[in-house]
Amino acid sequence: MIYTLTMNPAIDYVVTVPDLLKGRVNRGESRGFSAAGKGLNVSLALKRLGVESYALCTCGEIEREKGNLTETFLQLLQSSGIRSGLFNIKGSDTRINVKVHSGGEVTEINGDFYVPEEDSADIAETIIRMVKKGDFFIIGGSLPNGIPCDFYANLTENLAEKGAKVFVDTSGEPLRRVIQTGKAFLVKPNRHELAELFGLNSEAISTPEDAVTYGAKLGCNALVSLGEAGAVFVNGNDGEEYVYAAENKIKNAYTVGAGDALLAGFVETFIKTTDYETSLKSAVKFAESSLVLKS
């Protein structure tokens, strides 16, 4: 079984504005809504690859006389067609993120979501009971407010002890804590997140060679996404490394969501082949096919 976990899901409101003018009225050319979050995005990408997964995520539970964001989120999640299991958080409403596409750039305005710390213990306990030896468990995205930064690390340790392969795509201190456990099967930072781990400028890791150098220092399998440049895989056990660049250099594209497609493509091929190099090559090709061209 493949599970994905999204602790901080959202409704993504995506709008395209020809020329965004600060402090002025802007009219969008197109818009769309979707149930989003890294784990959910990976499940959606796996679905496109014909692979079934079970998407676990938190969900607001708040009573109002009229509709709320959670109702909209549930409708969007159901329409996505992926199997899902929800952890209902009483007193919290699902957040909304706004993504504005304009002038070849994406401007994001992300909302907040709160999960009480006591709820996180119940969530972890439920997951640990559910997952079995040989399962693949993919953790994606940031932690919501209220959850301790070692939540992913503790969950990774417990699931690894049960014999599950744990893949982690997060950033900052939660990622650092996961790496320190030495129990993650694979972590997937992008080049900016990898630089942050080492206290470097966000642009310090700009080449595959840089990614290999620092990825090898993590002490675990690392899949480093480089946007339009492809990706790097470093084997944390023997230092073996592979580099793949996108075959068709698509320069005029948004890379939002490509990292989720990269991870999904890697997992889909690794399940069939258990070969790192083949999995990386397939992952890069799938991520490349998922890029959205800029207007």
Side-chain angles (χ1 to χ4, degrees):
M1 173 67 75
I2 302 174
Y3 294 93
T4 66
L5 174 64
T6 308
M7 288 295 293
N8 204 13
I11 298 169
D12 270 4
Y13 172 54
V14 182
V15 59
T16 300
V17 177
D19 186 17
L20 184 63
L21 301 174
K22 186 177 179 180
R24 301 279 297 277
V25 174
N26 293 270
R27 301 192 182 280
E29 283 189 339
S30 63
R31 67 173 187 169
F33 295 89
S34 62
K38 279 189 172 295
L40 291 175
N41 292 345
V42 172
S43 280
L44 287 167
L46 286 169
K47 183 178 175 63
R48 296 203 304 273
L49 287 164
V51 177
E52 187 82 7
S53 66
Y54 192 63
L56 300 168
C57 67
T58 57
C59 181
E61 185 178 289
I62 187 168
E63 295 182 2
R64 289 181 181 169
E65 291 183 2
K66 297 184 179 180
N68 56 55
L69 291 175
T70 291
E71 290 178 2
T72 303
F73 175 78
L74 292 174
Q75 292 169 3
L76 292 168
L77 184 59
Q78 183 176 19
S79 67
S80 72
I82 59 176
R83 295 175 60 213
S84 59
L86 305 177
F87 300 109
N88 296 311
I89 309 302
K90 292 183 179 180
S92 291
D93 202 356
T94 301
R95 66 185 183 133
I96 188 166
N97 296 336
V98 179
K99 300 180 185 294
V100 182
H101 289 209
S102 181
E105 302 292 339
V106 179
T107 300
E108 300 189 41
I109 305 169
N110 291 345
D112 288 330
F113 184 58
Y114 177 76
V115 177
E117 185 172 348
E118 55 268 27
D119 284 8
S120 70
D122 293 337
I123 291 171
E125 184 179 340
T126 300
I127 291 172
I128 293 165
R129 285 200 311 266
M130 182 184 305
V131 175
K132 296 178 175 58
K133 182 178 181 179
D135 287 342
F136 284 62
F137 197 90
I138 302 168
I139 296 171
S142 60
L143 285 168
N145 293 330
I147 301 293
C149 67
D150 60 355
F151 177 81
Y152 287 154
N154 292 335
L155 186 59
T156 297
E157 283 190 298
N158 280 282
L159 294 181
E161 287 176 6
K162 292 192 71 175
K165 286 184 169 58
V166 184
F167 297 71
V168 182
D169 183 5
T170 188
S171 60
E173 190 59 26
L175 177 58
R176 190 185 310 280
R177 298 289 183 96
V178 167
I179 291 169
Q180 288 172 348
T181 69
K183 298 296 185 179
F185 180 75
L186 180 146
V187 296
K188 196 218 72 64
N190 62 34
R191 64 188 186 91
H192 304 297
E193 292 162 349
L194 183 59
E196 181 185 19
L197 287 174
F198 291 94
L200 303 174
N201 181 282
S202 63
E203 301 300 323
I205 297 176
S206 58
T207 67
E209 292 74 21
D210 294 336
V212 167
T213 297
Y214 287 97
K217 297 179 181 181
L218 297 180
C220 60
N221 291 339
L223 176 62
V224 183
S225 54
L226 301 170
E228 295 164 356
V232 162
F233 175 85
V234 179
N235 188 321
N237 294 318
D238 58 20
E240 201 170 31
E241 62 197 44
Y242 304 104
V243 177
Y244 270 98
E247 292 182 1
N248 302 308
K249 296 287 188 178
I250 303 176
K251 295 297 184 184
N252 193 39
Y254 297 110
T255 58
V256 176
D260 304 321
L262 182 79
L263 184 53
F266 187 95
V267 170
E268 184 266 344
T269 303
F270 186 78
I271 287 174
K272 295 186 297 187
T273 68
T274 68
D275 182 80
Y276 294 127
E277 184 175 15
T278 303
S279 300
L280 176 62
K281 188 173 184 179
S282 296
V284 170
K285 285 185 176 180
F286 182 58
E288 179 186 7
S289 71
S290 303
L291 292 175
V292 178
L293 291 178
K294 297 175 182 177
S295 58

